[in-house]
Amino acid sequence: MGETDNHNHQAPPSAPPPQNLGLSLGPTWTPAEQLLQLHYCIHSNPSWPEALLLGFQHYIVMLGTTVLIATNLVPQMGGSHGDKARVIQTLLFMSGINTLLQTWFGSRLPVVMGGSLAFVLPVMSIINDYNDQTFSSEHERFTRTMRTIQGSLIVSSFINIFLGYSRAWGNLTRLFSPIIIVPIVSVVGLGLFTRGFPLVADCVQIGLPMLILLIITQQYLKRLHPQAHHILERFALLICIAIIWAFAAILTVAGAYNNSKSKTQTSCRTDRSYLLTSAPWIKVPYPFQWGTPIFKASHVFGMMGAALVSSAESTGTYFAAARLSGATPPPAHVFSRSIGLQGISMLIEGIFGSVVGTTASVENVGLLGLTHIGSRRVVQISCGFMIFFSIFGKFGAFFASIPLPIFAAIYCVLFGIVAATGISFIQFANNNSIRNIYVFGLTLFLGISIPQYFVMNTAPDGHGPVRTNGGWFNDILNTIFSSPPTVAIIVGTIVDNTLEAKQTGVDRGLPWWVPFQNRKGDVRNDEFYRYPLRLTEYIPTRFLD
C-alpha cells in the first residue's frame, strides 16, 4: 500500500514567483505644485490681530541682519554709536519702503526686502580707500565714506534697472529648469551657514538654548493641545525670543560675563549694543542726510558687481517664497519687473544714504514655512513696524539690542527650511537620470565650494583672492564669486543648457516648467502676480509678457 500511495501522490503546487524587490513597498507621492499644509496662502489673510502679531514677528526676524551689517561696518568707517543707530534706522526705513514697493508693484510675493551682505566687499574697499587719508575727526571720515557709498549705490542701481526693464533677467530665467532651480534655491539657504551656528557659538549660553527651545516649543509642545498647536506653531518664535532675551538679561545683571573676553561680552551681554542710549527719540531719514554723494569710478564698478549678485540672490529667494506661499513659480515677466524695481529701490537707498543695497530676505521667507502662513498682507503689515521703529528710534533700538546669537539660532532653522524648499523642486524632474544627477551635483557643490574658497581667502580688510592692479576689477570678481546663488546660476545655466539639453527636455522637467514662464501659460499666473487696483488694464501688454 505504501508503494501504491507513493505512485498516486500528486506533485505539490508550484511556489509563487519571488517578489520583485524593485517595486515600492510603500506609498508613492505624486508631485505637488502647491503645498497643501499652508494655513493661509499668498492672497488669503488671517484675522487682523493675528496678522499684526505675525507682521511684528517678520520685523523681529529681519532685524538680525540689519543690526549685523551696521555693527560690522559702521565702526570700521569711523562712526560712533549714534551713527550706528542712525544707519540702522535708515536701513529699517528703506526696508519698509522697498518691501511695500515689491509687494505692490514688483514680485507681488510675501518677501521682505532687507540689507544685502553682498555689498560688504565693495563697502570695505571704500573704507580701505579712506583709511589711508587724514581727516580732522573720525566722524568726518564716516560721513565721507557714507557719501561715497551713496554715489556708488546711485550709479550701480542702473545695472538692475537695465537688467529688469530690458527683460534681460526675465529671459535668463527662461533658461532655467527644475534641475537648476534646485541648487539655486538650496544654496540661498546653505550658503548662509556662517550666519548660523558659528554665530551661535559666539555665545553658547544663550544661542544654544534658543535653538533647542525653538525646536521643542514649535514642533513638539504644540502637539499637547489643539489650542497650543495653533498658538505655538505661529508665535513660538516670539515666545522663545522673549524667554531667552530675559535669560540673557539676568545673566548680564548677575555678572556672568564680567570677566569674559571682549568678544564674548559683545555677543552675550544685553547692554553692549549702546543703541538705547545713542538712538534719537524721533528721527526721520531724509534724502542726502550725510551730505552730497561722491562719485568715484573705481568704487562704482565694485558696487555694480554687488548689484548683480543681489539680483541672483533675490531670484533664488523668490522661487522659495512662491512655493512657501502657495503661488506658482514666478513667470519671466515677474522677474523682470521685480529686478528692475529692485534697481529703483537701490537708487532710492543711495539718495537716502543707506550703507548697503537691498535684496530679498532669506530668513523671512523661511518664516513663511515655519508658520505655514504665506499671506502677502502679513508682510505688508511688517512694513508698518519697520517704518514706525525707524522713525521712533528709542523703541526700535530696544528690539535691535537683542543679542545676535539669538538671531543666529533662529537662522539655523529658517535657512534650513529655505534650503529644503529648494530640494523639493527635484520632484518635477527625473530623479533617476544620471545626467540630471551630474548637473545637480556639480552645480550644488561648486555653488558652495567656490564661494567658500573666496571667503576663506578674503582678508579682514576685504581684499579677496583676485588681486590684480585694477582694484575695481578685483572687487567685481571677488564679489560675484563669493555669492553661492550667483555661482550656481552661472554653472547650472551653462551646464544644463549645453549637456544633451534638447534630447533630455522631459527628464529636465521642461513640460512642467515652460507653462509658468508666460503670463498666460497657466491660468493661475495672473491670479497671483497681476498688479493691484486693476492697474494691469492700463499697462501696455508688451510690458506684461
Side-chain angles (χ1 to χ4, degrees), residues 320-361:
R323 184 143 180 78
L324 290 174
S325 62
T328 56
H333 74 279
V334 171
F335 277 113
S336 292
R337 76 189 189 201
S338 63
I339 297 303
L341 186 58
Q342 190 169 315
I344 294 177
S345 299
M346 196 181 304
L347 175 63
I348 299 174
E349 287 169 337
I351 293 173
F352 275 79
S354 181
V355 72
V356 293
T358 187
T359 191
S361 172

Side-chain angles (χ1 to χ4, degrees), residues 259-322:
N259 299 321
S260 301
K261 297 179 181 179
S262 176
K263 181 180 179 181
T264 301
Q265 293 197 32
T266 301
S267 300
C268 298
R269 296 180 67 97
T270 57
D271 58 357
R272 279 295 185 267
S273 65
Y274 302 106
L275 292 175
L276 271 174
T277 56
S278 56
W281 279 102
I282 300 177
K283 183 73 174 181
V284 181
Y286 56 90
F288 308 118
Q289 58 182 322
W290 311 111
T292 306
I294 298 174
F295 300 93
K296 285 191 174 182
S298 58
H299 299 312
V300 166
F301 283 108
M303 202 69 78
M304 286 181 176
L308 183 64
V309 165
S310 70
S311 300
E313 292 176 343
S314 295
T315 298
T317 308
Y318 289 148
F319 279 121

